[in-house]
């Protein structure tokens, strides 16, 4: 049986098919990737206004991504879908918020910051969208996130053994095996700053469709992998440990060679108690952890982990062209600093809201520019629906079907 966390994993062909209608109304298909960032940021903003935990915001983002595997942006209203995703995710994660609060906060956020005046003030509209959303999600509201894998591998959650709920993160018949965490012995010792960076990287992955393409445990391990590479203190610790290991290995080899020559000499046996024999050397705990060995011991495909890591880096390169919240707390600043090495850094593009010409000239993409793109897509789609070749309206989803039947 397929693990629950992989039930919603799709391939790229499915995602291309899901966006096939949207591409028809876009001059540049790359704008779809900017929309991924924009929508995730909107969900995060609304979630914070509703005082939702990060896990709830992540669940709402996954709901949004899954909904649009079956729907297109030009045929629906993404803003009411975002509100419904936050509302349903809060329920699913046992942190419910009142529907009235969701409507009022969403209207204020979308109206004041993005000029969206069409968001309904009637609570029943959001309740109706909740019904459609849950139906499209096939009533499957359980979401696995990479956070759990990250905290488990670093020994920050549970006891000495892996929590039972974690078993749903990998398939029994998968090439990575059910025990992707390797031998299960020991935990990865990360500094607090490194652990925080890995957490932020996972947060950032929700700005893309990675949650639809890869299981959560691979995303978590890719985040750890990037942290080991880009977190300066951790990288320095790994280099120091490797430098210490080389002379230690040569000394051990020399000592073993000397012992083999003196093995034939007679000597009086020394009796020791079992307690003294098992007593570790005082300096045993001072040895730094073999972080590289720990990663190599994980029962996953490291080339696949590297592929996920490269996609995260590509997301940061794209995100660098998106102009919003330059001070947002994320790991991308540190990673972009590394990926920019060897080429001159460019100043952040200062663009005005809703000025698409300025955005195009500077290479930056703004939220207001994307709002105009969305509105244009919907207007063109509605125009095509109103004047089809057959001369009759086209039903594109359940919401429009119900409206048409009532009219």
């Amino acid at each position: 049986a397929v693990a629950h966390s992989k039930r919603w994993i799709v391939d790229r062909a499915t995602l291309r098919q899901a966006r096939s209608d949207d591409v028809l109304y876009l001059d540049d298909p790359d704008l779809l990737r900017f929309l991924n960032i924009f929508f995730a940021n909107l969900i995060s903003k609304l979630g914070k206004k509703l005082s939702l935990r990060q896990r709830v915001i992540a669940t709402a983002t996954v709901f949004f991504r899954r909904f649009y595997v079956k729907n297109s942006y030009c045929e629906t209203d993404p803003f009411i879908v975002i509100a419904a995703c936050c509302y349903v995710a809060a329920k699913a994660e046992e942190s419910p918020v009142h529907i009235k609060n969701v409507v009022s906060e969403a209207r204020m956020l979308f109206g004041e910051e993005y000029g969206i005046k069409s968001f309904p003030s009637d609570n029943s509209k959001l309740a109706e969208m909740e019904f459609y959303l849950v139906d499209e999600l096939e009533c499957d509201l359980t979401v696995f996130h990479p956070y759990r894998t990250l905290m488990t591998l670093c020994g920050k959650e549970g006891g000495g053994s892996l929590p039972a709920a974690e078993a749903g993160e990998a398939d029994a018949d998968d090439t990575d095996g059910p025990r992707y965490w390797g031998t299960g012995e020991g935990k990865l010792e990360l500094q607090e700053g490194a652990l925080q960076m890995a957490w932020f990287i996972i947060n950032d992955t929700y700005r893309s469709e990675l949650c639809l393409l890869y299981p959560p445990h691979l995303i978590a391990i890719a985040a750890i992998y990037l942290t080991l590479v880009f977190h300066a203190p951790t990288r320095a610790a790994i280099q120091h440990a490797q430098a210490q290991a080389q002379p230690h290995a040569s000394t051990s080899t020399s000592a073993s060679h000397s012992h083999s020559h003196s093995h034939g000499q007679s000597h009086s046996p020394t009796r020791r108690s079992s307690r003294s024999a098992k007593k570790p050397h005082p300096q045993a705990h001072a040895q730094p952890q073999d972080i590289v060995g720990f990663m190599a011991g994980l029962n996953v495909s490291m080339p696949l982990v590297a592929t996920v890591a490269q996609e995260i880096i590509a997301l940061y390169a794209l995100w660098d062209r998106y102009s919003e919240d330059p001070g947002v707390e994320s790991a991308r600043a540190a990673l972009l600093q590394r990926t920019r090495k060897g080429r001159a850094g460019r100043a952040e593009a200062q663009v005005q809201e809703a000025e698409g010409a300025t955005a195009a000239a500077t290479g930056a993409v703004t939220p207001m520019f994307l709002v105009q793109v969305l509105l244009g897509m919907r207007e063109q789609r509605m125009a095509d629906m109103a004047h089809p070749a057959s001369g009759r309206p086209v039903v594109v989803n359940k919401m429009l079907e119900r409206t048409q039947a009532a009219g």
Side-chain angles (χ1 to χ4, degrees):
V2 176
H4 185 274
S5 67
K6 290 190 176 181
R7 178 184 174 188
W8 289 91
I9 301 300
V10 300
D11 55 25
R12 296 187 186 279
T14 302
L15 291 181
R16 285 194 296 269
Q17 180 61 34
R19 302 279 72 80
S20 59
D21 287 340
D22 296 324
V23 171
L24 297 176
Y25 302 98
L26 289 174
D27 295 330
D28 183 3
D30 276 349
L31 288 175
L32 290 174
R33 296 194 296 159
F34 287 107
L35 285 173
N36 286 333
I37 299 175
F38 172 62
F39 289 137
N41 284 353
L42 274 184
I43 294 172
S44 180
K45 283 187 174 184
L46 181 57
K48 290 176 180 177
K49 286 184 175 294
L50 296 171
S51 301
L52 301 179
R53 295 176 291 114
Q54 175 57 37
R55 181 183 177 89
V56 182
I57 294 174
T59 298
T61 309
V62 172
F63 286 170
F64 184 85
R65 302 286 185 219
R66 291 177 178 178
F67 178 84
Y68 279 106
V69 169
K70 302 179 180 181
N71 298 274
S72 57
Y73 301 139
C74 62
E75 296 174 346
T76 56
D77 182 356
F79 298 99
I80 194 169
V81 175
I82 285 173
C85 287
C86 289
Y87 181 55
V88 176
K91 289 183 179 181
E93 297 292 347
E94 299 181 357
S95 303
V97 290
H98 199 283
I99 190 171
K100 183 177 180 180
N101 293 341
V102 179
V103 171
S104 61
E105 292 292 351
R107 277 179 56 83
M108 187 178 303
L109 172 65
F110 301 150
E112 293 182 358
E113 295 195 26
Y114 302 100
I116 303 298
K117 305 300 184 182
S118 59
F119 193 90
S121 58
D122 187 358
N123 296 348
S124 65
K125 298 297 182 182
L126 181 57
E128 184 178 354
M129 187 63 235
E130 175 192 10
F131 171 80
Y132 296 127
L133 173 64
V134 173
D135 183 49
E136 293 290 79
L137 296 177
E138 302 174 16
C139 299
D140 183 3
L141 306 182
T142 301
V143 178
F144 288 99
H145 292 289
Y147 305 112
R148 182 74 178 275
T149 299
L150 171 67
M151 303 308 285
T152 300
L153 288 178
C154 295
K156 301 297 184 180
E157 182 175 316
S161 60
L162 197 76
E166 193 74 359
E169 303 241 349
D171 289 349
D173 58 349
D174 187 59
T175 54
D176 288 341
R179 291 182 61 84
Y180 66 83
W181 49 92
T183 63
E185 297 177 0
K187 300 295 178 182
L188 181 61
E189 299 172 6
L190 285 181
Q191 302 177 20
E192 189 64 28
L195 182 62
Q196 188 178 53
M197 184 179 195
W199 185 281
F200 287 160
I201 291 174
I202 292 174
N203 287 351
D204 295 344
T205 61
Y206 290 100
R207 268 74 181 175
S208 70
E209 295 175 324
L210 285 173
C211 61
L212 297 176
L213 294 169
Y214 301 101
H217 71 277
L218 281 181
I219 296 175
I221 295 172
I224 294 174
Y225 172 78
L226 287 175
T227 299
L228 301 182
V229 174
F230 294 114
H231 188 255
T234 302
R235 187 174 66 255
I238 294 175
Q239 294 171 346
H240 179 68
Q242 290 176 335
Q244 281 189 328
Q246 292 178 353
H248 177 73
S250 60
T251 303
S252 299
T253 303
S254 175
S256 175
H257 182 69
S258 175
H259 176 72
S260 64
H261 281 285
S262 61
H263 184 67
Q265 299 179 1
S266 60
H267 56 275
S268 58
T270 302
R271 297 183 62 183
R272 295 186 300 171
S273 67
S274 59
R275 177 177 299 178
S276 62
K278 296 180 180 179
K279 186 176 180 180
H281 192 274
Q283 296 181 349
H285 296 289
Q287 294 294 330
Q289 184 186 29
D290 181 10
I291 298 179
V292 175
F294 180 91
M295 293 294 290
L298 296 176
N299 190 23
V300 296
S301 169
M302 292 311 294
L304 185 55
V305 170
T307 298
V308 178
Q310 287 295 328
E311 293 198 32
I312 296 174
I313 292 176
L315 167 65
Y316 287 128
L318 182 77
W319 200 347
D320 194 32
R321 295 169 52 198
Y322 182 80
S323 179
E324 181 184 43
D325 294 345
V328 69
E329 196 175 51
S330 74
R332 72 184 177 113
L335 269 69
L336 282 171
Q337 185 177 2
R338 294 281 298 177
T339 56
R340 289 172 178 165
K341 189 177 181 180
R343 59 187 176 93
R346 61 178 177 80
E348 291 272 346
Q350 301 297 320
V351 294
Q352 297 296 323
E353 293 184 346
E355 293 185 353
T358 305
T362 60
V365 176
T366 64
M368 289 304 297
F369 171 70
L370 293 176
V371 168
Q372 297 304 315
V373 168
L374 281 170
L375 294 178
M377 290 168 60
R378 293 196 66 194
E379 289 177 0
Q380 293 181 53
R381 182 61 173 177
M382 292 299 178
D384 289 346
M385 289 169 52
H387 302 90
S390 60
R392 52 180 296 185
V394 179
V395 175
V396 294
N397 62 22
K398 296 184 181 65
M399 296 181 69
L400 294 178
E401 182 178 14
R402 182 172 177 178
T403 303
Q404 180 178 316

